[in-house]
Amino acid sequence: MKEYFQLQFKMLNRKMIDFGMPLLIGYTLLPFIFILLTNYLFEKTEFANYAYGLLAISFVSKLSEPKRNDFLKSIFNKDKYRKLRITENLIYCLPFTLYLIYQKQFIFSAILNLFIIFITLFNFSTNLNVTIPTPFNKKPFEFTVGFRKTFYVFPIAYFLTYISVSVGNFNLGVFSMLLIGLTCFSYYSKIENEYFVWNYNLSSKEFLIEKTKTCLIYFTFLSLPIIIALSISFFREIDILIVLLLLCYAYLTTIIFAKYSSFPNEMNMSQGILIAISFMFPPILLIFIPLFYSQSIKKLNTILND
């Protein structure tokens, strides 16, 4: 087992380096962002531990893929396989466990870890072997592919909205909307083949407008049930809701421009740091959005022959 975890550690390091992020910065920045987002969640709603538990289970459930576990069973005997699954699940859940202990949620932390151990008895795929219908057509591949990988997030977000309305907790409803925003944000981490961009009969400017328009329309479509429910139930806070919705639009626009500012390569470390800074100081988006836009135009001009 020791060799297995050493291999996993090396693979994680390699992913960071391939992303263009030095290991020292990666291992400093990621915990900082995790704590920052977690603090925000726990400050804004009294139901944070439930949302936190669902996020932890969703994160750990990736380890239950049948093909992956069939491979592990072919390497390890039954006892070692079971120990490995339990150890691996507990390690993946460790950041959530430590924060729950910090919040003095000892019982909830214990229940979460017992559940994490319990699910090692089962193997299930979070990617169903069926073609999940999506509300999108084939053109925006980011949303079609992303939705099929994260479809379970949306019922969770809508359920949190229902609880938010039921108990009169506006912040929990806001969290559910931001959860959808962050999920859509992740769809743009995948770089498409250069040929698919070249295939567009558009100028660079028209291409970026088309991509941004599609993203914002589909994000609005996915968020609409939450926006309507919160607008009706918390009408006095509708100005806050509008500001947060516009912020989601701004961040989605930023990630699209950032993606194509380094195209056909993946985003590098400096772009990742700039985006992380923008989460801490949103007004700086007024500088970053034009910056990424101008860089994107230059990169796309070489492909779209503008």
Side-chain angles (χ1 to χ4, degrees):
M1 284 205 305
K2 180 181 176 183
E3 290 78 12
Y4 171 80
F5 285 111
Q6 286 176 336
L7 178 63
Q8 294 296 315
F9 182 63
K10 288 181 179 177
M11 290 171 65
L12 175 63
N13 290 343
R14 184 171 298 174
K15 285 181 181 177
M16 282 194 192
I17 293 170
D18 289 345
F19 186 68
M21 181 179 290
L23 297 180
L24 181 61
I25 294 178
Y27 285 113
T28 305
L29 193 62
L30 290 179
F32 177 75
I33 293 174
F34 179 81
I35 293 171
L36 192 71
L37 294 176
T38 305
N39 275 337
Y40 178 80
L41 175 64
F42 274 83
E43 284 173 3
K44 293 300 180 183
T45 173
E46 59 187 293
F47 298 96
N49 51 352
Y50 298 106
Y52 206 55
L54 287 173
L55 287 173
I57 292 168
S58 172
F59 183 57
V60 175
S61 64
K62 295 288 183 185
L63 300 174
S64 299
E65 288 288 332
K67 287 184 179 178
R68 174 182 177 280
N69 284 283
D70 288 343
F71 175 70
L72 293 177
K73 286 177 183 176
S74 69
I75 299 175
F76 300 102
N77 62 38
K78 190 175 179 180
D79 289 339
K80 284 188 175 179
Y81 166 75
R82 189 57 58 199
K83 288 178 183 174
L84 184 144
R85 283 296 314 275
I86 293 172
T87 306
E88 200 171 30
N89 277 22
L90 291 175
I91 290 174
Y92 268 61
C93 192
L94 188 59
F96 300 92
T97 303
L98 291 177
Y99 196 87
L100 286 172
I101 291 172
Y102 169 73
Q103 288 288 333
K104 298 181 181 178
Q105 299 277 351
F106 301 115
I107 296 177
F108 192 83
S109 173
I111 293 172
L112 175 63
N113 278 273
L114 285 174
F115 187 81
I116 291 299
I117 294 173
F118 176 71
I119 63 174
T120 62
L121 298 174
F122 308 97
N123 293 326
F124 51 88
S125 176
T126 53
N127 297 318
L128 297 180
N129 293 322
V130 296
T131 302
I132 300 173
T134 77
F136 319 111
N137 59 35
K138 294 180 181 178
K139 186 172 61 174
F141 86 95
E142 292 96 345
F143 269 77
T144 304
V145 175
F147 183 84
R148 285 176 175 150
K149 288 182 178 177
T150 60
F151 65 92
Y152 53 89
V153 171
F154 300 97
I156 292 174
Y158 298 147
F159 181 65
L160 290 176
T161 305
Y162 168 75
I163 295 176
S164 163
V165 172
S166 300
V167 301
N169 188 319
F170 177 69
N171 291 326
L172 184 60
V174 167
F175 173 76
S176 64
M177 188 179 79
L178 296 180
L179 179 61
I180 288 187
L182 287 172
T183 303
C184 296
F185 200 78
S186 69
Y187 295 169
Y188 289 87
S189 61
K190 183 177 176 58
I191 293 290
E192 67 264 51
N193 190 292
E194 198 172 333
Y195 171 76
F196 294 117
V197 173
W198 173 83
N199 212 23
Y200 277 81
N201 185 25
L202 298 172
S203 68
S204 301
K205 181 181 176 182
E206 291 169 336
F207 175 83
L208 287 176
I209 291 174
E210 178 69 20
K211 280 280 182 179
T212 306
K213 184 178 69 176
T214 302
C215 171
L216 300 188
I217 288 173
Y218 285 129
F219 165 71
T220 305
F221 176 78
L222 291 170
S223 304
L224 204 55
I226 297 174
I227 295 169
I228 292 174
L230 295 183
S231 300
I232 295 173
S233 304
F234 303 99
F235 187 73
R236 289 184 178 179
E237 286 85 5
I238 197 166
D239 52 340
I240 298 174
L241 196 62
I242 291 171
V243 170
L244 291 172
L245 183 64
L246 293 176
L247 263 181
C248 287
Y249 287 162
Y251 279 113
L252 288 168
T253 303
T254 303
I255 192 66
I256 292 172
F257 291 171
K259 173 184 173 180
Y260 290 104
S261 67
S262 59
F263 191 80
N265 301 314
E266 293 187 350
M267 282 188 285
N268 55 40
M269 182 194 66
S270 59
Q271 291 165 319
I273 291 175
L274 291 179
I275 292 173
I277 291 172
S278 73
F279 277 112
M280 292 180 275
F281 186 63
I284 208 165
L285 287 174
L286 295 173
I287 298 173
F288 289 168
I289 289 177
L291 174 68
F292 288 141
Y293 175 78
S294 62
Q295 292 175 345
S296 299
I297 292 292
K298 289 178 184 175
K299 290 287 183 181
L300 290 170
N301 279 345
T302 62
I303 300 169
L304 292 169
N305 298 317
D306 190 28

